[in-house]
């Protein structure tokens, strides 16, 4: 007999399920009255009232303005309380580290950033130690008002060192470095860690407007391209947390490498700019729209769009995804043009055996990894996850 047996659900678990269900409905709709939540959830009016009362008493939801002018008694909608929880999040990237305080609705209350040539554990921990107090002070958040901390980072920071000119021997320090344990010695909160691409996908899934989608793939274009997978309306991290790590995916008929990472990453654009005598650091500036990059941007968009279209078709051959969402550390117009280029390239591709998915720009942007780290904690404690619901 298999040791992985399915188990029944006791009343305590069912109450938690219903609580998460109503909380998720309110989050998705912005605000809901008890009557609307009763209809949407299929729960009894009494059960909805009891759960709404408990959620309000715990500070998770707050009352909105009363709705007048309808037939019957005035009703009061409920909405998510932004101040119900505040989280400290840390994004560790290959070119920079960022700290933020994020509230319960995914808003960044304060944020600090430090740029480096390449990441090593000592520099990252020093950054956290120096900037934590200024960060909390800027967010007007005392230490005891922070619920937890989460980290979004590549799981193999020691990989692909040649691609961004980092000394392999120094980045090897990450192999044996436990970031959660090290941070737990510095901060008074629990610390969770998630792959940065998965975290970015989680931000899009929780805080973006994709409620009609059930199965979709997500690309995040950063120094290296990555992403995530959404199945059954919930992020699917995979057994090792790397689902949707599209960088190593093989792409055919491309000069300069046979992996997606070799063509659709920002490091590719930066190298092109550097060879032309243009400061590649301008790619990371939020205030620039990249129009000054001229032909270098045009060539990168074509190259990235073609390689991503191959990755989309390969993904569709495995799972029948509804849509593709493309986000990243990109100006909004560049992101829109990249989406258009992927659609154009898909139109030139043999799609026999797969269907043409909807392709659209992401809604969160360059801060998706920071916000998604908070989303990891919110999902764990307060949302339904259809991919783990029936797992032991």
């Amino acid at each position: 007999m298999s040791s992985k047996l399915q188990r029944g659900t006791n009343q305590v678990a069912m109450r938690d399920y219903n609580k998460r269900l109503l909380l998720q409905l309110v989050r998705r709709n912005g605000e809901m009255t008890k009557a609307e939540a009763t209809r949407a959830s299929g729960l009894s009016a009494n059960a909805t009232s009891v759960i709404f009362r408990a959620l309000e008493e715990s500070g998770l939801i707050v009352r909105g303005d009363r709705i007048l002018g309808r037939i019957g008694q005035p009703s009061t909608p409920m909405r998510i309380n932004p101040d119900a929880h505040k989280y400290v999040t840390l994004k560790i990237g290959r070119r920079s580290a960022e700290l933020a305080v994020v509230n319960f609705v995914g808003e960044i209350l304060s944020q600090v950033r430090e740029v480096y040539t390449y990441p090593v554990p000592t520099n990252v921990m020093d950054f956290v130690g120096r900037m934590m107090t200024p960060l909390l002070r800027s967010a007007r958040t005392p230490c005891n008002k922070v619920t937890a901390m989460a980290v979004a980072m590549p799981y193999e920071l020691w990989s692909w060192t040649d691609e961004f000119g980092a000394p392999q021997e120094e980045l090897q320090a990450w192999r044996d470095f436990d970031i959660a344990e090290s941070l737990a010695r510095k901060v008074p909160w629990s610390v969770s860690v998630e792959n940065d691409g998965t975290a970015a996908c989680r931000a899009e899934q929780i805080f973006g407007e994709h409620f009609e989608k059930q199965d979709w793939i997500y690309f995040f274009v950063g120094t290296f391209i990555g992403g995530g997978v959404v199945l059954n309306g919930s992020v699917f991290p995979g057994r090792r947390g790397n689902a949707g790590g599209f960088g190593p995916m093989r792409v055919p008929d491309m000069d300069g490498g046979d992996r997606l990472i070799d063509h659709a990453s920002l490091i590719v654009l930066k190298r092109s700019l550097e060879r032309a005598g243009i400061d590649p650091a301008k790619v990371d500036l939020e205030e620039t729209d990249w129009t000054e990059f001229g032909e270098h941007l045009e060539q990168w968009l074509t190259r990235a769009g073609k390689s991503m279209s191959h990755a989309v078709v390969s993904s569709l051959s495995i799972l029948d995804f509804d849509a593709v969402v493309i986000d990243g550390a990109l100006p909004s117009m560049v992101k829109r043009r990249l989406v258009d280029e992927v659609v154009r390239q898909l139109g030139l591709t043999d799609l026999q055996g797969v269907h043409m998915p909807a392709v659209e720009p992401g809604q969160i942007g360059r801060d998706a990894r920071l916000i998604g780290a908070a989303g990891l904690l919110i999902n764990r404690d307060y949302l339904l996850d259809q991919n783990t619901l029936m797992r032991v």
Side-chain angles (χ1 to χ4, degrees):
M1 182 179 293
S2 171
S3 60
K4 295 184 178 180
L5 298 176
Q6 290 185 333
R7 298 177 181 176
T9 302
N10 57 38
Q11 287 186 328
V12 173
M14 186 55 69
R15 282 198 298 270
D16 182 65
Y17 175 91
N18 290 337
K19 174 182 173 182
R20 289 174 181 247
L21 173 62
L22 292 183
L23 201 55
Q24 190 158 304
L25 285 170
V26 173
R27 184 180 292 278
R28 287 185 173 184
N29 287 277
E31 60 179 25
M32 293 188 84
T33 65
K34 293 176 184 177
E36 290 169 337
T38 297
R39 288 193 295 270
S41 66
L43 296 172
S44 68
N46 182 65
T48 302
S49 294
V50 169
I51 295 173
F52 262 31
R53 189 180 310 117
L55 292 174
E56 185 179 12
E57 289 173 353
S58 64
L60 294 173
I61 59 176
V62 292
R63 294 171 183 262
D65 297 328
R66 298 182 76 193
I67 301 174
L68 305 174
R70 294 182 179 176
I71 297 175
Q73 293 294 321
S75 57
T76 302
M78 308 300 289
R79 55 184 174 81
I80 298 295
N81 179 9
D83 297 323
H85 290 285
K86 294 178 182 178
Y87 306 98
V88 168
T89 64
L90 169 65
K91 184 223 79 176
I92 303 173
R94 290 182 168 85
R95 292 301 192 194
S96 65
E98 295 179 73
L99 269 173
V101 176
V102 182
N103 69 13
F104 200 46
V105 294
E107 297 169 337
I108 293 179
L109 305 181
S110 65
Q111 182 177 358
V112 290
R113 182 171 184 256
E114 184 161 282
V115 177
Y116 39 62
T117 305
Y118 53 86
V120 291
T122 52
N123 289 350
V124 171
M125 295 304 294
D126 177 67
F127 166 67
V128 173
R130 284 186 289 106
M131 301 309 299
M132 186 64 74
T133 297
L135 176 83
L136 295 176
R137 186 180 298 123
S138 176
R140 298 180 179 179
T141 302
C143 190
N144 62 358
K145 295 298 183 182
V146 174
T147 300
M149 182 175 183
V151 182
M153 63 180 290
Y155 276 171
E156 293 188 10
L157 269 170
W158 57 86
S159 297
W160 298 317
T161 54
D162 291 342
E163 280 80 355
F164 70 110
Q168 186 175 12
E169 61 276 8
E170 291 197 45
L171 267 70
Q172 287 297 315
W174 286 104
R175 280 187 178 272
D176 301 315
F177 184 74
D178 190 325
I179 185 69
E181 180 181 314
S182 298
L183 285 170
R185 293 197 294 265
K186 279 184 172 287
V187 302
W189 321 296
S190 64
V191 180
S192 302
V193 182
E194 183 160 68
N195 175 272
D196 59 340
T198 304
C201 181
R202 201 177 290 283
E204 189 75 27
Q205 184 262 325
I206 294 175
F207 303 112
E209 296 183 4
H210 301 285
F211 312 132
E212 79 288 354
K213 300 182 184 69
Q214 285 296 299
D215 306 314
W216 44 284
I217 57 176
Y218 170 87
F219 292 102
F220 188 90
V221 182
T223 299
F224 292 154
I225 190 169
V229 174
V230 177
L231 297 177
N232 306 308
S234 299
V235 172
F236 180 76
R239 184 172 293 276
R240 296 176 181 84
N242 284 320
F246 293 103
M249 182 174 280
R250 265 45 188 177
V251 293
D253 305 322
M254 298 289 293
D255 295 329
D258 61 355
R259 305 166 302 177
L260 185 62
I261 195 175
D262 299 322
H263 307 283
S265 302
L266 291 184
I267 193 70
V268 178
L269 174 60
K270 288 182 176 182
R271 284 200 207 109
S272 176
L273 296 174
E274 192 169 25
R275 287 193 295 268
I278 302 172
D279 183 4
K282 290 183 177 181
V283 171
D284 300 319
L285 300 178
E286 293 187 42
E287 58 269 20
T288 179
D289 61 4
W290 296 9
T291 53
E292 64 181 288
F293 300 158
E295 63 177 317
H296 305 285
L297 175 60
E298 300 303 316
Q299 292 169 1
W300 178 80
L301 283 169
T302 301
R303 183 176 178 180
K306 183 177 181 180
S307 61
M308 290 174 72
S309 71
H310 285 306
V312 169
V313 174
S314 296
S315 300
L316 289 171
S317 70
I318 299 171
L319 286 172
D320 192 18
F321 292 107
D322 303 324
V324 177
V325 177
I326 300 173
D327 208 349
L330 312 167
S332 58
M333 183 54 68
V334 173
K335 180 164 52 179
R336 180 71 259 179
R337 291 190 61 197
L338 179 59
V339 168
D340 291 343
E341 182 62 22
V342 171
V343 171
R344 188 183 78 83
Q345 293 285 355
L346 283 171
L348 302 174
T349 304
D350 182 359
L351 296 179
Q352 292 183 91
V354 300
H355 75 284
M356 179 72 173
V359 184
E360 59 191 66
Q363 301 167 17
I364 308 299
R366 66 174 63 242
D367 291 326
R369 293 162 292 186
L370 272 176
I371 296 170
L376 167 65
L377 304 172
I378 293 171
N379 182 79
R380 180 193 68 192
D381 296 334
Y382 297 107
L383 298 181
L384 293 175
D385 191 329
Q386 299 297 333
N387 298 314
T388 61
L389 192 60
M390 298 303 293
R391 287 187 180 181
V392 176

